[in-house]
Amino acid sequence: MKYIIAAIKPFKLEEVREALTAIGVRGMMVTEIKGFGAQSGHTEIYRGAEYAVNFVPKLRLEIGVSDAMVDQVVETLQKTARTDKIGDGKIFVLDLEAATRVRTGETGDDAL
Amino acid sequence: MKYIIAAIKPFKLEEVREALTAIGVRGMMVTEIKGFGAQSGHTEIYRGAEYAVNFVPKLRLEIGVSDAMVDQVVETLQKTARTDKIGDGKIFVLDLEAATRVRTGETGDDAL
Amino acid sequence: MKYIIAAIKPFKLEEVREALTAIGVRGMMVTEIKGFGAQSGHTEIYRGAEYAVNFVPKLRLEIGVSDAMVDQVVETLQKTARTDKIGDGKIFVLDLEAATRVRTGETGDDAL
Amino acid sequence: MQLKKILPLAALAVALPALGMAQEAEAVADAAPDVLEAVAALNTEMVFIMNSLLFLIGGFLVFFMAAGFCMLETGLVRSKNATMQATKNVALFSLAGIAYFIVGFNLMYPGDWVIEGWLGGISPTVLEPVGVELADVDDVEYASVGSDFIFQLMFCAAVASIVSGAVAERIKLWPFLAFVIILTGIIYPIQASWSWGEGFLDEMGFSDFAGSSIVHAAGGWAALAGVLVLGARYGKYGKDGKINVMPGSNLPLATLGMFILWLGWFGFNGGSQLAMGTISDVADVSRIFANTNTAASGGAVAALILSTILYKKPDLTMVLNGALAGLVSITAEPLTPSLGAATLIGAVGGVIVVFTVPLLDKFKIDDVVGAIPVHLFAGLWGTMAVPLTNSDASFGTQFVGMAIIGAFMFVASLVVWLILKAVMGIRISDEDQVTGLDKTEMGMEAYPEFGNS
Amino acid sequence: MQLKKILPLAALAVALPALGMAQEAEAVADAAPDVLEAVAALNTEMVFIMNSLLFLIGGFLVFFMAAGFCMLETGLVRSKNATMQATKNVALFSLAGIAYFIVGFNLMYPGDWVIEGWLGGISPTVLEPVGVELADVDDVEYASVGSDFIFQLMFCAAVASIVSGAVAERIKLWPFLAFVIILTGIIYPIQASWSWGEGFLDEMGFSDFAGSSIVHAAGGWAALAGVLVLGARYGKYGKDGKINVMPGSNLPLATLGMFILWLGWFGFNGGSQLAMGTISDVADVSRIFANTNTAASGGAVAALILSTILYKKPDLTMVLNGALAGLVSITAEPLTPSLGAATLIGAVGGVIVVFTVPLLDKFKIDDVVGAIPVHLFAGLWGTMAVPLTNSDASFGTQFVGMAIIGAFMFVASLVVWLILKAVMGIRISDEDQVTGLDKTEMGMEAYPEFGNS
Amino acid sequence: MQLKKILPLAALAVALPALGMAQEAEAVADAAPDVLEAVAALNTEMVFIMNSLLFLIGGFLVFFMAAGFCMLETGLVRSKNATMQATKNVALFSLAGIAYFIVGFNLMYPGDWVIEGWLGGISPTVLEPVGVELADVDDVEYASVGSDFIFQLMFCAAVASIVSGAVAERIKLWPFLAFVIILTGIIYPIQASWSWGEGFLDEMGFSDFAGSSIVHAAGGWAALAGVLVLGARYGKYGKDGKINVMPGSNLPLATLGMFILWLGWFGFNGGSQLAMGTISDVADVSRIFANTNTAASGGAVAALILSTILYKKPDLTMVLNGALAGLVSITAEPLTPSLGAATLIGAVGGVIVVFTVPLLDKFKIDDVVGAIPVHLFAGLWGTMAVPLTNSDASFGTQFVGMAIIGAFMFVASLVVWLILKAVMGIRISDEDQVTGLDKTEMGMEAYPEFGNS
Ligand SMILES: Nc1ncnc2c1ncn2[C@@H]1O[C@H](COP(=O)(O)OP(=O)(O)O)[C@@H](O)[C@H]1O
Ligand SMILES: Nc1ncnc2c1ncn2[C@@H]1O[C@H](COP(=O)(O)OP(=O)(O)O)[C@@H](O)[C@H]1O
Ligand SMILES: Nc1ncnc2c1ncn2[C@@H]1O[C@H](COP(=O)(O)OP(=O)(O)O)[C@@H](O)[C@H]1O
């Protein structure tokens, strides 16, 4: 099993979720994060003093997937999250050793 | 060492924390997340237009544990977070290569 | 490639970000979390009832790095985030199997 | 209207100097009766206008207390119940407004009693006709019916607002609103008629200037009955006597609510002088303003100091409650105390709050916003404090009045709550309480973008 | 001033009893003309003072509606546009204040018409001199110019506030403010002069007591024109008729805004009696207070019940809009209805809102806060409801007046919006809308620490 | 009271026409002295009532400014200090209320001076007795003591509110409150007695209608002294002149605060006419309302335009400060300017704010909410602007008065701050500032559920 972590642009969430659901992903976690990267933030002015906001709001998705699905999930993520503008995000794949469903105690692919 | 990531129902946090403390877990990180899964969200109505909120509020726990403790932690998590209702959450175990305590520079199990 | 997850004190963010940028880190994700650890929280009083807030606000950084850079990043993190007071945080290193840049589809070190 | 009557006289007056002495005397003699009448009428008119104006100003000030209650309560509930709390507050005020004109007002101020001194008349409120003249006015020495109605209505609505805070975060909307209709249409007006409608408590000499008992304790009793029937919020009290703290989600909003209530109280107490058309009345209203303000100060400062002594750290919510308790305490007699006495009366209110808020928790009586300490306990204190500065009141009579009002309000409310519980069910399920009423009952979040617990 | 004139008389009066009967009669004869004059003057003075006071009280109450609109709108936009919405509201009120004194007020209340009954005078407002005496007052039977000005100004600003809510979250700041200047300086004053400045609509018998059409529908028409020219917010309407809901970020704040507006409406309608110096006037103001309040109640309750029936769950934003629609509905005639009739008139307003808010969405007319249902639709209803309780009004005339006002306001606004669109561009780019106006246009976040979407 | 005196006359008047001419004349002669007295008394009464009413209305409006300051400041601090800021604002207002009646009021309006023209009397405030009659009233040509007291108290509390914003986010609660007690009980009343208590500045011809210097600059000087003794917030100024921006956490709340202050200012300036019982007085109050409003508009618009020009984007906090600076600027003379002049005077205030806010940062003077630019700098400007429209004032005298007030307020405040610093310590540790005062000092979070930085 693999554990996929991805940063995407917030307004893409619904589209990505639908695409992933379509290919069989049945769960994920979404976190509001601040992203730092090549995409520059914006400048704010407060009472005459300018300052740079270096962080850009992003959403972070985490998805535990079976080995069989990894490639498809990464591909789907990349395609739907893409806008071709800087700051579209990243997809990271980590190895996932074990997964458990709290409600039933099921483990492995059954837990996903 | 292992890195445990778990999604649980928010109101279970205190119970889980106490149970984990009891078995010797000395630290963790908690993040507010939106969970997507089999548990359906709810419908909201705003000015005459209904819309589905697909995400359910969850908490995500992250715990770095020594190899010796992994099983006990997963078990404790599963037992205390369980309500037997859909949406109880997931527990993921990843391999953790290194850990460092910022304050002292200690590494490995000592850092946890 | 490695995936570094670190908990730090919130007011250290700017310093850490600058130090990491200086050694060549080009991106990261920042999440507001609640930390539980040796550093005790504080006591709040609400309408005559005291209660312990066991969690301390922390920031969680996630950085995908090339193998070459891991040690330097961990070291820099540890040095700049350090205040020598309890609660300075932890640095965890996980193995990172794959990385993709959403915008371009680049993978591996090029994606970071 | 009056102007037209007098203008010819003025014209005459201007013409007079041209005439000789004799004619002048004659003209004056002709005019004199009219002059006398005009002066008297002008005075009557002035008094009527000023009294009505007092009610109108008092009315809009006390109206604004509805917003104060709403902000206080919405700030003190958890964010997952904030939309519901706001909805309840808007709805209760609106329903009170309708119930009070359909039955409440004439029940409270009966022309003809159904049972003399005990049960008023049952008929909807009819205002004076458009463009009413002096001769057709209901009570020319008092004020216009409309102004009186609007002022009294706001008091009635306040009673319901008190209840909504105590039962927050676990009561169902519709049973709550059903209770509000009965409370504001029937229970409160009947009770209030006994004192302010010149019923038997008034006869007896019970003295409650602006309603420490009649309004505040009354609302507190209704709230207490509700809280007892309803039970505590899910998870509030742990097994071994542990109190699970559920902090208010927006304390700046609660603070605003307190300030708005304080503002409204100038109308609440000041308007209860019921007259502003003479020097003594306006001076009395002024005294009341000053005493009301200083009692609130006393309550806030006492709560600030005491909460710091007891808990090491000052507690803003106690300070807010303390100021309100100071206001409730002075409400039964805001006129006779000196500034110093008023400050102390208010301070005792603040002390009461700091001690009774945790006390209620000991008895597992879950009052979300402190409505019972503030309105009931400080209201009782205020009622009993009247004889301290007003020699026309006696402790015995105050106690009897307070007890009768309390017994009636509590029992009547209890009966209604129990019926509603039996008929409709009044409590939100534990699971829905955990999720939050905004999601389960309303499908609408108060702050959809902030946090997500 | 008056005091000095009368005091010698009082001294005389005190001295008189000492004199014999004959001299007394003589002295009285001497004094009599002065007495007559004094009584008349005192009455005139009282009326003038009370009328002016009504305008001053009404003025500050209606002023506060600017805060109410601001809170309502800021609470109903998404947090990423909240700073911008607050900025627009402060700026529009400030600019209205200036535009109205430079041209608006004299356009609206012309001494000399440029085109009799149609186009007023063009000159800045000049107040009465400092310390003006009875003899030099502009209109001694009315009120001071300053009090009248301040009261009327607040109505003018309200028209602009109505517009700002409808076009929120995608209009550029400066073109919006340019529109506000033209609206408050020229368009509204010209239109309002037709009825309230004794122009041709007044002549015709059109009856709109406090402005259901003249103020509220007028603002609604200007808003509708703006929304049509501007288009919907980016992403609001999906391809297949799907409506993307964009929930307001802070409903407690929106609720506060509604309460503040309700409070201000006592001044809005009550002050529009334009007089409080006689028994009949103050009684009428009292009627208006009572009717205004109950109409709001009716609107809120109707919206609460209807939204629950239609959507299974009550909708707070509909209840807020419902109360406001009740207020708008009664504004054309808050005096003549009975309390029952006023409640029903308001309730119809609430019903209108619940049905027309989703209707606008069907036509892809994106009105962020419901300004068009509340102010335009309920305003039209209120205007047509006048003859139901006021026999001096006729359906025909009401309809004609309403149509003329509507046509003028809509067309004039449309032209200005189109010119602004052509000249400066009025719409924020889609990308900047996604990011949020606070970041792109202001560089300043409303709640920088909460959430971060 | 008056009514009873006149009613027999009216009865007589009604009876008279039945009698013959001769008897009539005789009856009139009998009645005449009473009539004269009655008219005079009625007039006296009317003036007294209207003046007192002005103070009562002004009093509750200015009271509400306490809420305005609280919301403005709570919105402009970071959320980790918001509970503390709200607590300070409630506590300071409450303590001011007590300190002012115990010593302040009689220090400020001395019957007997301790040092003629310089130091007033020391005794607690005593209100007129309950039900006071014309003959026993303190000053029958003025207003009731209670109404005067409540009005003046609110000004005193405003001075303390000004300070609390400037020293926010790093001052300890109790030393701050100790300062407030001394400021409102002693320092401000002594200073204000020099002008408004008919002391030496009044003698000299210094003219400050509603307190640009006496209230606003005074508060600003006290704040400046505090800020200098206290130092900047931890981390505000970086090593190489870098300014670390610490954005306010809730700008909609701050905007509400500004609107409430603007509302209150109608009472602040309007009430300072001190009389409303004659045509000229009410017309003057009306002028003041109009000028006050337009000056605020001028300040807001100027700040909007200027901040956009200087920083490319409009700055809401500058617009809020600009409106307030406009209000402060017109406060020294809200009566004599024309609407145009008032707008310009206010606009200069707005310009001052936009330039001086960053200037203070250059000098590392850390004023969290802009209290010093708004109240001190615009207050000085307002004081010096008086002679521009009021020929009774001279630049020389204005300057001298302004300087004396400034020197006294600054030095006296500085001494008190230094003593408090030495005795109790006034500054929160850097570490606790980082954590936030709400956690460390209060143990209570303002928004416990939103965000968690
Ligand atoms: N090395 C990294 N580790 C973790 N997250 C990263 C890394 N680099 C970028 N990100 C995340 O991806 C987002 C987009 O990256 P950015 O460099 O701005 O644009 P792009 O991916 O289009 O080149 C960032 O905001 C950040 O959240
Ligand atoms: N594949 C997954 N990857 C990551 N998180 C998941 C995954 N599936 C579920 N989750 C998380 O677990 C939560 C509970 O899952 P859900 O399917 O709703 O219920 P259950 O675990 O009881 O079957 C979800 O809200 C989500 O946060
Ligand atoms: N075992 C752990 N797993 C994950 N995060 C941890 C763990 N232990 C500590 N942390 C994180 O590190 C932070 C600091 O740890 P703490 O024990 O308080 O202090 P220190 O690291 O100085 O000993 C915690 O607040 C928490 O966020």
Side-chain angles (χ1 to χ4, degrees), chain A residues 7 33-39 56 58 85-90 92, chain C residues 3 25-29 62-65 101-103 111-112:
Chain A
I33 60 157
K34 295 174 186 162
F36 174 71
Q39 180 192 9
V56 184
K58 299 276 171 207
K85 294 224 184 83
I86 210 159
D88 276 352
K90 300 267 142 63
F92 298 110
Chain C
Y3 200 72
V25 170
R26 286 196 306 275
M28 70 176 98
M29 308 190 212
E62 283 165 278
I63 317 166
V65 292
R101 187 187 304 270
V102 171
R103 175 164 49 94
L112 301 180

XYZ file of all heavy atoms in Angstrom, chain A residues 7 33-39 56 58 85-90 92, chain C residues 3 25-29 62-65 101-103 111-112, ligand 1:
271
model
N -0.294 18.450 -2.457
C -0.714 19.841 -2.233
C -1.416 20.311 -3.501
O -0.903 20.108 -4.600
C 0.501 20.727 -1.950
N -3.578 24.138 4.466
C -2.182 24.432 4.786
C -1.768 25.736 4.134
O -2.492 26.316 3.323
C -1.226 23.328 4.286
C -1.356 23.204 2.752
C -1.502 22.004 4.965
C -0.134 22.604 2.116
N -0.596 26.184 4.527
C 0.026 27.308 3.828
C 1.182 26.748 3.030
O 2.042 26.051 3.585
C 0.532 28.330 4.834
C -0.590 28.976 5.639
C -0.015 29.870 6.718
C -1.095 30.417 7.620
N -0.511 30.923 8.887
N 1.188 27.040 1.758
C 2.239 26.500 0.922
C 3.318 27.528 0.653
O 3.042 28.707 0.465
N 4.540 27.051 0.626
C 5.653 27.915 0.254
C 6.312 27.266 -0.949
O 6.509 26.057 -0.984
C 6.643 28.018 1.423
C 7.886 28.776 1.093
C 7.825 30.150 0.904
C 9.105 28.132 0.966
C 8.973 30.868 0.589
C 10.262 28.847 0.649
C 10.193 30.217 0.464
N 6.608 28.076 -1.963
C 7.196 27.489 -3.142
C 7.545 28.558 -4.161
O 7.737 29.730 -3.809
N 7.613 28.157 -5.407
C 7.986 29.095 -6.453
C 6.920 30.173 -6.643
O 7.215 31.327 -6.964
C 8.189 28.333 -7.764
N 5.645 29.764 -6.421
C 4.571 30.750 -6.548
C 4.712 31.766 -5.423
O 4.705 31.421 -4.244
C 3.207 30.052 -6.410
C 2.033 31.005 -6.525
C 0.734 30.341 -6.088
O 0.738 29.242 -5.558
N -0.364 31.020 -6.315
N 1.059 30.814 0.549
C -0.126 30.800 -0.301
C -1.058 29.721 0.242
O -0.603 28.621 0.542
C 0.272 30.438 -1.747
C -0.924 30.507 -2.668
C 1.399 31.324 -2.224
N -3.155 26.584 0.419
C -3.268 25.348 -0.376
C -4.083 24.342 0.427
O -4.304 24.525 1.624
C -1.876 24.744 -0.615
C -0.900 25.604 -1.367
C -1.079 25.484 -2.867
C -0.223 26.525 -3.569
N -0.729 26.929 -4.849
N -0.634 26.885 -14.287
C -0.060 28.110 -13.708
C 0.809 27.698 -12.550
O 0.559 26.699 -11.861
C -1.176 29.021 -13.212
C -2.055 29.557 -14.332
C -2.335 31.042 -14.150
C -3.295 31.532 -15.224
N -4.690 31.256 -14.861
N 1.798 28.496 -12.293
C 2.726 28.187 -11.204
C 1.958 28.031 -9.884
O 0.976 28.716 -9.643
C 3.803 29.299 -11.124
C 5.100 28.704 -10.589
C 3.347 30.455 -10.254
C 6.294 29.554 -10.943
N 2.409 27.057 -9.086
C 1.753 26.841 -7.795
C 0.697 25.756 -7.819
O -0.091 25.634 -6.890
N 0.682 24.963 -8.860
C -0.341 23.918 -8.967
C -0.189 22.825 -7.915
O -1.149 22.137 -7.595
C -0.304 23.270 -10.362
C -1.105 24.089 -11.357
O -1.793 25.036 -10.925
O -1.044 23.777 -12.558
N 1.039 22.651 -7.398
C 1.207 21.707 -6.293
C 2.102 20.525 -6.587
O 2.744 20.453 -7.647
N 2.155 19.638 -5.609
C 3.052 18.499 -5.666
C 2.292 17.246 -5.262
O 1.317 17.315 -4.512
C 4.192 18.689 -4.634
C 5.038 19.919 -4.841
C 6.268 19.628 -5.681
C 6.607 20.739 -6.635
N 6.964 22.023 -6.143
N 3.304 13.545 -3.510
C 4.347 12.714 -2.911
C 3.789 11.324 -2.629
O 2.648 11.189 -2.182
C 4.826 13.331 -1.598
C 5.438 14.696 -1.764
C 4.801 15.841 -1.293
C 6.661 14.850 -2.403
C 5.368 17.098 -1.452
C 7.245 16.101 -2.561
C 6.597 17.239 -2.085
N 11.157 12.502 3.039
C 10.054 13.385 3.395
C 10.252 13.785 4.846
O 10.220 12.934 5.739
C 8.737 12.634 3.220
C 7.540 13.550 3.091
C 7.344 14.290 1.930
C 6.632 13.670 4.127
C 6.251 15.128 1.803
C 5.531 14.506 4.009
C 5.344 15.242 2.839
O 4.268 16.069 2.715
N 16.327 24.954 -0.110
C 14.975 24.369 -0.099
C 14.036 25.305 -0.849
O 14.014 26.507 -0.580
C 14.490 24.149 1.355
C 13.017 23.793 1.365
C 15.317 23.086 2.030
N 13.275 24.768 -1.769
C 12.466 25.647 -2.602
C 10.975 25.536 -2.339
O 10.176 26.218 -2.975
C 12.767 25.385 -4.073
C 14.130 25.953 -4.489
C 14.249 26.050 -5.981
N 13.967 24.732 -6.599
C 14.878 23.763 -6.752
N 16.126 23.964 -6.377
N 14.562 22.612 -7.278
N 10.600 24.643 -1.430
C 9.170 24.544 -1.156
C 8.896 23.812 0.128
O 9.739 23.060 0.630
N 7.729 24.053 0.685
C 7.312 23.302 1.879
C 5.824 23.526 2.116
O 5.202 24.388 1.489
C 8.123 23.745 3.101
C 7.818 25.136 3.604
S 8.734 25.489 5.109
C 10.114 26.390 4.441
N 5.293 22.727 3.013
C 3.909 22.919 3.436
C 3.914 23.204 4.936
O 4.656 22.567 5.685
C 3.094 21.653 3.222
C 3.186 21.072 1.813
S 1.951 19.761 1.647
C 2.778 18.665 0.498
N 6.380 20.290 6.347
C 6.637 19.091 5.557
C 7.476 19.494 4.370
O 7.112 20.440 3.650
C 5.322 18.494 5.046
C 4.560 17.734 6.101
C 3.142 17.495 5.642
O 2.309 18.413 5.793
O 2.867 16.417 5.114
N 8.525 18.797 4.182
C 9.428 19.149 3.099
C 9.896 17.884 2.391
O 10.451 16.992 3.026
C 10.685 19.884 3.624
C 10.271 20.926 4.686
C 11.436 20.561 2.488
C 11.443 21.447 5.479
N 9.667 17.825 1.101
C 10.242 16.745 0.295
C 11.640 17.172 -0.130
O 11.786 18.246 -0.715
N 12.648 16.361 0.190
C 14.017 16.759 -0.177
C 14.742 15.622 -0.885
O 14.427 14.453 -0.690
C 14.863 17.153 1.061
C 14.339 18.434 1.682
C 14.878 16.034 2.087
N 5.534 17.015 -9.848
C 5.095 18.406 -9.892
C 3.808 18.461 -10.722
O 3.807 18.053 -11.891
C 6.169 19.292 -10.529
C 5.848 20.780 -10.447
C 6.847 21.629 -11.248
N 8.229 21.404 -10.850
C 8.850 22.091 -9.892
N 8.211 23.072 -9.265
N 10.093 21.820 -9.569
N 2.752 18.919 -10.140
C 1.454 18.877 -10.818
C 1.474 19.659 -12.121
O 0.989 19.203 -13.148
C 0.338 19.421 -9.893
C -0.967 19.585 -10.660
C 0.147 18.506 -8.681
N 2.076 20.827 -12.072
C 2.053 21.717 -13.226
C 2.687 21.113 -14.466
O 2.166 21.241 -15.574
C 2.776 23.022 -12.864
C 2.954 24.004 -13.990
C 3.314 25.387 -13.455
N 4.399 25.311 -12.478
C 5.691 25.475 -12.770
N 6.067 25.706 -14.013
N 6.627 25.414 -11.829
N 11.037 17.448 -9.257
C 9.710 17.899 -8.840
C 9.765 18.736 -7.561
O 8.818 19.438 -7.224
C 8.793 16.691 -8.615
N 10.895 18.643 -6.861
C 10.949 19.290 -5.534
C 11.165 20.793 -5.620
O 11.827 21.266 -6.522
C 12.065 18.636 -4.716
C 11.878 17.134 -4.526
C 13.034 16.564 -3.714
C 10.571 16.857 -3.808
N 9.758 20.490 -1.541
C 8.487 20.594 -1.203
N 8.057 19.848 -0.162
C 6.751 19.926 0.215
N 5.847 20.691 -0.412
C 6.227 21.426 -1.458
C 7.551 21.406 -1.893
N 7.647 22.248 -2.931
C 6.409 22.772 -3.145
N 5.554 22.281 -2.255
C 4.126 22.585 -2.187
O 3.644 22.706 -3.485
C 3.045 24.000 -3.675
C 3.272 24.476 -5.087
O 4.653 24.617 -5.343
P 5.285 25.806 -6.196
O 6.757 25.637 -6.155
O 4.718 27.115 -5.705
O 4.682 25.672 -7.652
P 4.900 24.557 -8.744
O 4.652 23.229 -8.092
O 3.892 24.886 -9.800
O 6.315 24.677 -9.238
C 3.664 24.852 -2.631
O 2.802 25.905 -2.261
C 3.854 23.874 -1.490
O 2.650 23.710 -0.740
